Amino acid sequence: MGITLKRLTARLAFLTLAALCAAALTRPCVAAHAQTLKTSNAGKAGTSAASAAEAVPGRPVELVNAAADVYYVPPEFAADALLRIAQSGRVTDRRWRRELLEEAFRFAADAQQPVRRADAVIPPFSVDTPAGYASYAYDNRLDALSLRTRVIAAMLKLDARRARELSKEAQAKLSLPPLNCADYLVYDVSDFYETVAEVARGAAFTAEEVKQGERLRFVQAFVEGVNSHAQVAPVVRLILSLDLPPEELSFLGGRLLIALGNVSGDDRSFSYSMNRGEAAKELINLVSAYRKHELPTQEVLAAVRAYVADNVKGARCSDNLFKGERLLPYYVAGLNHSLFQTDPLTFDETKPREVLGTADLHEYWQTPGARQLLQAIRELRFGLAPAAKDDDDEAVPAELTAEQRQTEQWLDKLRTFLKDLEQWDRGAERSEADYFHQRQSLYHGLLELAPNGWARDMVLREWEESLAEEPPRGLSRPEWFLWAGNLLKAARASEPKSRSTILEAMTNSKNPTLALYAKLERLKLLAP
């Protein structure tokens, strides 16, 4: 994640150009420095040098400096930082705020992860798995689609028509390839379609445009773009949120039914959509809307039944199958009760033609080294190892008090733990990413226990140093940031001296992303 020669060259070129732009950042200057960055493959930006910002109202110099630092970091972090700056409330120059949002949208295109993902397996898996931490990491919305969605939502408050254009651009670039049964995360595109609904309902369309069908054609493109089970529930919600007249509801519903006929396979996405993605519920709501408007329902009922039947009897992942003698999946039973009373799906119609594999959900803390460290941190929290109950469930002992965690004996154990953690054999773990997540989890746990003073500062410093290292192979950037974000939250919750110590260390970190986010934290751009 360090700065590259190309980015450094681009940064120097940008600063030189910004100085020539004098006190105001004119459009020719914006275009010129954007072209410079494009040529060097370093991205674009809508900022000026600090010297220029001092003379431009509405562009606080500290925010301009923070915006300039985005050229040192990967694109998803650059986009996130620009979004936070633009939405800070301290950027009163509307032109610059728009430029920041436009640049965030462009940076988002190069984010490592294209779409937000969620845990797919039923029931939800333990967090202490690769899937668990990956799922939490996506909640920071650093994937390309989520970043674009955040830009669209922010732009909607500034320029509704531009938000409309950006929505179409994001839709055109949305790709959701089929998943397989080895995948333990599925696509989650709900935020995007909720934002599209806000665009369609808002000032992006005049009353005359709505009357002439411009809004209908806008939404039609999103409906016809459905090619994954992950889109079904969000798109139905989009349609129903607009409170359309009967003829427009019938038109969009018909386009959706055509799209459903082309969505098959990918049981990982289908089962999640039906079970926890609320697709069954939303399809029932769609039929209810037809009935409310006294629209014919025969075609929609037939299309929904065919869609469900085709997918439920196809190739299925073994961990998605319902166990039991002649037991229908509950979403099928629900659809039978609500929609298919006269022609219910039978058990024979839902028998899969093929049963495939399952996701690899191995849990952490299984190797001797990991188990030893886990036990050691439990002893730091509880003192002696917890006793077992008669039913073999572990009793939950009382945690050591703050006073007990300030004794010399406890602090000696902390020093020993940190030494053992540093010497942990990462090669014994299944992957570098597994080692990373477990190690970060231990630092996070230690910080909850370490008393204020040198002990807490030591844990914070070692945690920061571990994050500043080159990330392991196979670890996504959002997963890395999951722990960087936790470190920042821990610093924010610390007493002033510790907070200052860790933010200073992060600001001077060899990792430019840590340095940027430390600056954003100091500017109070990260707090909820």
Side-chain angles (χ1 to χ4, degrees):
M1 293 187 184
I3 185 170
T4 64
L5 179 59
K6 286 183 177 180
R7 283 187 178 173
L8 180 58
T9 301
R11 174 71 181 129
L12 293 173
F14 167 62
L15 288 176
T16 301
L17 180 62
L20 294 175
C21 286
L25 185 59
T26 62
R27 284 237 178 252
C29 285
V30 172
H33 90 253
Q35 182 59 41
T36 300
L37 292 169
K38 181 178 180 181
T39 303
S40 63
N41 296 319
K44 299 180 183 178
T47 59
S48 70
S51 59
E54 293 172 354
V56 181
R59 303 186 183 195
V61 63
E62 67 275 12
L63 297 186
V64 172
N65 286 337
D69 287 346
V70 303
Y71 307 115
Y72 294 91
V73 303
E76 48 271 273
F77 304 131
D80 180 54
L82 292 174
L83 268 161
R84 292 177 183 276
I85 294 168
Q87 296 179 282
S88 67
R90 301 198 304 241
V91 177
T92 57
D93 182 336
R94 290 175 60 88
R95 178 177 166 188
W96 190 44
R97 194 188 320 159
R98 174 169 175 153
E99 289 169 354
L100 290 168
L101 293 175
E102 293 280 359
E103 295 309 320
F105 194 85
R106 305 306 162 211
F107 270 117
D110 294 322
Q112 185 186 61
Q113 303 301 313
V115 182
R116 186 183 178 197
R117 305 284 287 270
D119 61 282
V121 180
I122 307 167
F125 44 67
S126 165
V127 67
D128 279 325
T129 62
Y133 286 125
S135 181
Y136 275 127
Y138 276 106
D139 288 344
N140 284 313
R141 290 163 170 77
L142 292 171
D143 59 276
L145 183 63
S146 291
L147 288 164
R148 286 172 173 152
T149 300
R150 291 166 59 191
V151 172
I152 294 166
M155 187 68 78
L156 186 58
K157 300 174 182 179
L158 189 66
D159 184 340
R161 286 192 170 272
R162 183 56 181 152
R164 169 176 159 183
E165 295 169 358
L166 293 178
S167 298
K168 292 191 289 186
E169 187 174 336
Q171 165 71 11
K173 296 179 180 178
L174 178 58
S175 176
L176 302 173
L179 304 175
N180 58 54
C181 292
D183 290 304
Y184 44 65
L185 298 175
V186 293
Y187 305 119
D188 183 349
V189 294
S190 297
D191 287 353
F192 174 61
Y193 288 103
E194 288 174 9
T195 302
V196 169
E198 291 179 15
V199 172
R201 291 194 301 265
F205 295 90
T206 65
E208 184 62 24
E209 286 178 320
V210 172
K211 183 178 179 181
Q212 293 178 355
E214 286 297 317
R215 185 180 69 170
L216 181 66
R217 285 186 285 275
F218 171 79
V219 177
Q220 178 184 351
F222 295 91
V223 175
E224 293 179 341
V226 171
N227 56 22
S228 168
H229 303 294
Q231 296 165 291
V232 174
V235 166
V236 174
R237 281 195 290 268
L238 164 61
I239 294 172
L240 297 182
S241 73
L242 301 179
D243 194 22
L244 298 167
E247 61 276 10
E248 292 189 0
L249 173 63
S250 177
F251 174 76
L252 290 180
R255 307 313 293 177
L256 175 63
L257 299 181
I258 293 173
L260 283 182
N262 297 320
V263 181
S264 63
D266 185 1
D267 182 55
R268 180 61 75 212
S269 295
F270 172 74
S271 291
Y272 177 86
S273 174
M274 284 292 165
N275 281 299
R276 289 160 59 204
E278 299 188 335
K281 171 186 172 182
E282 295 303 338
L283 289 170
I284 291 171
N285 289 339
L286 178 64
V287 175
S288 296
Y290 268 57
R291 289 169 175 164
K292 177 182 176 181
H293 288 287
E294 299 182 347
L295 293 169
T297 59
Q298 294 90 337
E299 289 187 6
V300 65
L301 288 172
V304 170
R305 190 185 189 286
Y307 166 69
V308 175
D310 179 57
N311 284 282
V312 80
K313 70 182 179 184
R316 307 290 306 282
C317 304
S318 61
D319 51 6
N320 284 333
L321 298 180
F322 287 76
K323 306 299 189 289
E325 184 66 22
R326 303 190 67 79
L327 182 66
L328 286 171
Y330 77 83
Y331 55 84
V332 172
L335 289 167
N336 280 344
H337 174 75
S338 299
L339 302 184
F340 311 143
Q341 299 97 330
T342 60
D343 186 19
L345 283 164
T346 66
F347 177 80
D348 289 337
E349 287 180 285
T350 65
K351 290 171 62 176
R353 67 171 181 268
E354 183 181 3
V355 177
L356 304 176
T358 185
D360 177 10
L361 296 175
H362 69 273
E363 294 201 12
Y364 290 148
W365 316 111
Q366 302 304 308
T367 64
R371 292 176 69 88
Q372 181 179 349
L373 287 165
L374 184 62
Q375 179 59 32
I377 199 171
R378 285 173 176 169
E379 292 179 12
L380 284 170
R381 182 178 292 275
F382 300 111
L384 297 177
K389 290 182 178 179
D390 292 338
D391 60 3
D392 293 331
D393 289 335
E394 288 189 345
V396 180
E399 294 189 10
L400 295 177
T401 65
E403 291 75 17
Q404 289 172 315
R405 286 184 277 111
Q406 290 178 343
T407 64
E408 195 58 38
Q409 182 183 15
W410 190 92
L411 293 172
D412 281 342
K413 287 185 177 181
L414 174 62
R415 294 186 190 95
T416 300
F417 183 92
L418 287 170
K419 181 179 178 182
D420 292 342
L421 181 56
E422 184 64 29
Q423 295 176 349
W424 183 10
D425 180 15
R426 67 179 67 196
E429 302 305 311
R430 288 182 55 152
S431 69
E432 286 280 321
D434 283 5
Y435 168 81
F436 174 86
H437 280 306
Q438 292 173 100
R439 185 183 181 192
Q440 299 304 311
S441 177
L442 290 170
Y443 278 124
H444 193 236
L446 279 181
L447 201 62
E448 295 178 348
L449 302 175
N452 287 331
W454 67 264
R456 186 176 181 83
D457 290 349
M458 179 172 61
V459 174
L460 283 168
R461 184 172 61 254
E462 293 200 14
W463 192 4
E464 184 276 328
E465 290 174 355
S466 75
L467 283 167
E469 297 172 359
E470 189 68 22
R473 296 184 303 275
L475 185 79
S476 71
R477 290 174 189 153
E479 288 179 81
W480 175 88
F481 187 79
L482 170 67
W483 297 107
N486 283 334
L487 176 58
L488 285 160
K489 290 176 185 176
R492 188 181 310 138
S494 298
E495 53 99 19
K497 184 177 179 182
S498 289
R499 179 179 182 273
S500 178
T501 298
I502 188 57
L503 290 181
E504 184 66 26
M506 294 177 72
T507 300
N508 297 319
S509 173
K510 63 183 179 182
N511 185 307
T513 304
L514 285 178
L516 172 62
Y517 278 90
K519 179 175 288 188
L520 297 178
E521 172 64 27
R522 282 177 159 165
L523 292 170
K524 302 186 184 304
L525 300 182
L526 300 184

